[in-house]
Amino acid sequence: MEKHRCGWCAGDELYEAYHDLEWGVPVKDDDTLFEFLILETFQAGLSWITILKKRENFRKAFDHFDYKKIAKYEQKKKDALLQDAGIIRNKLKVNATVTNAQAFMEVQKEFGSFSKYIWGFVDGKPIKNKFKNYKDAPANTELSDALSKDLKKRGFKFVGSTVVYAHMQATGMVNDHEVSCFRYNEV
């Protein structure tokens, strides 16, 4: 029997695999939270499928999203990244990735983990929405506005409210699976 999935991923194997295995699954691991933060940063202004197709290239180019290494990137490494056709070659986003790695570690120092910090915005539990159609999900909310504002205050870049809400969806802070989707009650 065919599984019903959210409409946004239907018909593309890569999208469907991402949807079925990752999207909306609560993530409490700092390494994975950082990876999604960086991928969402690069996604700003582009489609998510573009990022998914380049994900392995990003992983290689950015030392498997090791924020401790990324925080120490010097200009030579940033210049090399801007020559890497396997990723999105955007100078502002590459620079933001380094800045965000540094800010990420500052949050870890203050809160013990980035996970404790970010999940504190939802009291440690996913918000379960009830959308019949994925198109009804908002691009941002008051909560993503507040989180975005706080991240910016802490020095993060490319973390506008829409990017932050997409991060919240991807990491399961909000469950925006369609109510008829087979993953809705699983995550």
Side-chain angles (χ1 to χ4, degrees):
M1 188 164 140
E2 185 70 25
K3 295 177 181 177
H4 178 79
R5 293 179 173 91
C6 298
W8 60 265
C9 71
D12 184 286
E13 284 185 32
L14 186 59
Y15 250 176
E16 288 179 0
Y18 170 69
H19 168 275
D20 293 359
L21 302 172
E22 293 184 86
W23 193 72
V25 176
V27 173
K28 303 274 178 116
D29 171 70
D30 274 9
D31 293 336
T32 307
L33 287 167
F34 182 75
E35 176 178 348
F36 275 111
L37 183 65
I38 297 314
L39 292 174
E40 294 293 350
T41 297
F42 275 93
Q43 189 265 331
L46 302 169
S47 68
W48 184 243
I49 193 67
T50 300
I51 301 304
L52 279 181
K53 287 178 179 176
K54 293 179 176 277
R55 189 177 189 179
E56 287 308 313
N57 296 333
F58 274 104
R59 205 170 260 142
K60 288 176 193 153
F62 284 96
D63 292 297
H64 298 277
F65 300 107
D66 182 336
Y67 51 85
K68 292 174 186 164
K69 287 182 181 177
I70 294 169
K72 295 177 184 176
Y73 282 1
E74 295 180 2
Q75 194 58 50
K76 185 178 177 183
K77 174 65 174 178
K78 291 190 250 181
D79 290 342
L81 288 166
L82 292 172
Q83 299 304 314
D84 188 337
I87 65 168
I88 307 300
R89 295 178 289 182
N90 179 300
K91 186 176 184 177
L92 294 174
K93 292 177 181 181
V94 167
N95 288 333
T97 300
V98 177
T99 300
N100 290 350
Q102 295 163 351
F104 189 87
M105 290 191 302
E106 288 302 314
V107 168
Q108 286 179 316
K109 283 181 197 170
E110 183 177 345
F111 291 87
S113 73
F114 187 80
S115 180
K116 283 181 189 170
Y117 160 75
I118 201 165
W119 278 90
F121 280 83
V122 292
D123 296 323
K125 298 180 301 248
I127 296 168
K128 193 164 188 165
N129 291 316
K130 293 182 170 128
F131 300 116
K132 291 182 179 175
N133 187 308
Y134 74 96
K135 293 178 182 176
D136 296 333
N140 59 300
T141 63
E142 286 183 26
L143 183 57
S144 68
D145 292 347
L147 178 51
S148 170
K149 186 176 178 181
D150 197 70
L151 287 165
K152 288 176 184 177
K153 183 181 84 179
R154 294 173 183 282
F156 286 83
K157 306 287 184 205
F158 278 90
V159 287
S161 189
T162 301
V163 168
V164 168
Y165 193 73
H167 186 265
M168 293 170 68
Q169 290 173 311
T171 61
M173 291 175 67
V174 293
N175 180 351
D176 278 351
H177 282 281
E178 294 172 355
V179 291
S180 60
C181 175
F182 81 99
R183 292 294 282 157
Y184 180 74
N185 286 317
E186 291 181 1
V187 297

